[in-house]
Amino acid sequence: MAMKTVVIISGSGSNLQALIDRANEIGIEISGVISNREEAFGLQRAQRAGITTALVDHRQFESRETFDAALSETIDGMQAQLVILAGFMRILTPEFTRRYEGRMLNIHPSLLPKYRGLHTHRRALEAGDEWHGATVHFVTEELDGGATIIQAPVAVSSADSEETLAAKVHAVEHRIYPLAAQWFAEGRLRLEQGVAYLDNAPLPVEGYQYHD
Ligand code: GAR
């Protein structure tokens, strides 16, 4: 049985697309896609794939708490076993993250713990880093701070701009997110007392290192 999965987005949804394209192969069924922005292109991607979509517009709520409550109601209505944040650009309340702890994943465009937050490609370039990349992690209360599952390093070249670096990072994101979702759907991945386990062995703090 495929694992019922809800994907939450704010924008383009290229990671969502990678999950849609490989859903059968990796054992997930995307039962819904939720966006906090009406104009998010990912909503069109979902509709094109025949997936139920919902808009929960954060601007229509007075507080993070009421927004998050509406978001959980929508997620739970879609009977999610796994919640995947894919370019969802809102900070979540502790109540929300606790509710889905151990079954909510996020992808972040940096080699965490480096560059939590925004503008990660620019910051890596400005720092002159040789390596940049992407991280899939369990979501906990700490922003971009939960246990790391997979990291994909990407070499930075002196010719890179923010755009070319972002494109390189996106390319590896589209490989590692479906892989992490597959591990979870197969029951191979779990979070226990803040540590990510793959096949019953604790993953290193920097996660499984993915290389092409
Ligand atoms: C991705 O690069 C993802 O890592 C990043 O947003 C992009 C979404 O792209 N997420 C964050 O910055 C979360 N803090 P997409 O909409 O094309 O999947």
Side-chain angles (χ1 to χ4, degrees), residues 113-155:
K114 265 194 160 178
Y115 311 132
R116 293 176 182 181
L118 299 173
H119 311 302
T120 58
H121 311 304
R122 189 189 312 164
R123 287 155 72 195
L125 285 173
E126 280 170 3
D129 291 353
E130 282 177 50
W131 292 94
H132 186 45
T135 303
V136 177
H137 64 93
F138 280 106
V139 177
T140 56
E141 286 181 38
E142 195 187 346
L143 179 68
D144 300 328
T148 292
I149 300 164
I150 309 182
Q151 261 184 359
V154 155

Side-chain angles (χ1 to χ4, degrees), residues 11-16 86-89 106-109 117 144 170 173:
S12 157
S14 68
N15 279 287
L16 164 66
F88 179 62
M89 304 305 280
N106 183 43
I107 193 156
H108 185 76
D144 300 328
H170 259 114
E173 287 189 335

Side-chain angles (χ1 to χ4, degrees), residues 29 39 43 56 67 69 112 115 121 125 132 155 159 163 174 185 194 196 202:
E29 179 200 331
E39 66 279 16
L43 286 174
V56 185
F67 169 69
L112 288 171
Y115 311 132
H121 311 304
L125 285 173
H132 186 45
E163 290 68 34
H174 301 160

Side-chain angles (χ1 to χ4, degrees), residues 26-57:
I26 65 179
I28 62 167
E29 179 200 331
I30 303 177
S31 50
V33 169
I34 306 171
S35 173
N36 65 312
R37 306 191 91 96
E38 194 173 8
E39 66 279 16
F41 181 62
L43 286 174
Q44 292 181 43
R45 296 182 191 267
Q47 283 154 10
R48 219 191 288 146
I51 298 167
T52 304
T53 59
L55 173 69
V56 185
D57 184 343

Side-chain angles (χ1 to χ4, degrees), residues 48-205:
R48 219 191 288 146
I51 298 167
T52 304
T53 59
L55 173 69
V56 185
D57 184 343
H58 60 280
R59 290 167 305 185
Q60 293 180 354
F61 296 87
E62 277 174 12
S63 63
R64 279 193 199 283
E65 285 69 23
T66 51
F67 169 69
D68 281 7
L71 195 56
S72 351
E73 219 172 276
T74 312
I75 295 169
D76 296 349
M78 292 169 166
Q79 270 136 40
Q81 298 168 284
L82 169 64
V83 179
I84 292 188
L85 307 181
F88 179 62
M89 304 305 280
R90 302 289 302 167
I91 292 172
L92 296 162
T93 57
E95 292 70 26
F96 184 92
T97 53
R98 275 199 294 269
R99 183 180 183 89
Y100 300 103
E101 194 157 301
R103 57 190 184 100
M104 179 156 65
L105 310 182
N106 183 43
I107 193 156
H108 185 76
S110 78
L111 298 174
L112 288 171
K114 265 194 160 178
Y115 311 132
R116 293 176 182 181
L118 299 173
H119 311 302
T120 58
H121 311 304
R122 189 189 312 164
R123 287 155 72 195
L125 285 173
E126 280 170 3
D129 291 353
E130 282 177 50
W131 292 94
H132 186 45
T135 303
V136 177
H137 64 93
F138 280 106
V139 177
T140 56
E141 286 181 38
E142 195 187 346
L143 179 68
D144 300 328
T148 292
I149 300 164
I150 309 182
Q151 261 184 359
V154 155
V156 182
S157 95
S158 54
D160 269 324
S161 64
E162 215 175 312
E163 290 68 34
T164 60
L165 193 53
K168 285 188 197 172
V169 171
H170 259 114
V172 292
E173 287 189 335
H174 301 160
R175 293 172 185 275
I176 63 175
Y177 223 178
L179 180 59
Q182 178 173 18
W183 287 346
F184 193 87
E186 290 173 347
R188 297 174 57 192
L189 180 67
R190 67 175 198 279
L191 179 72
E192 208 176 286
Q193 295 185 341
V195 177
Y197 286 77
L198 178 65
D199 298 332
N200 295 320
L203 281 163
V205 278

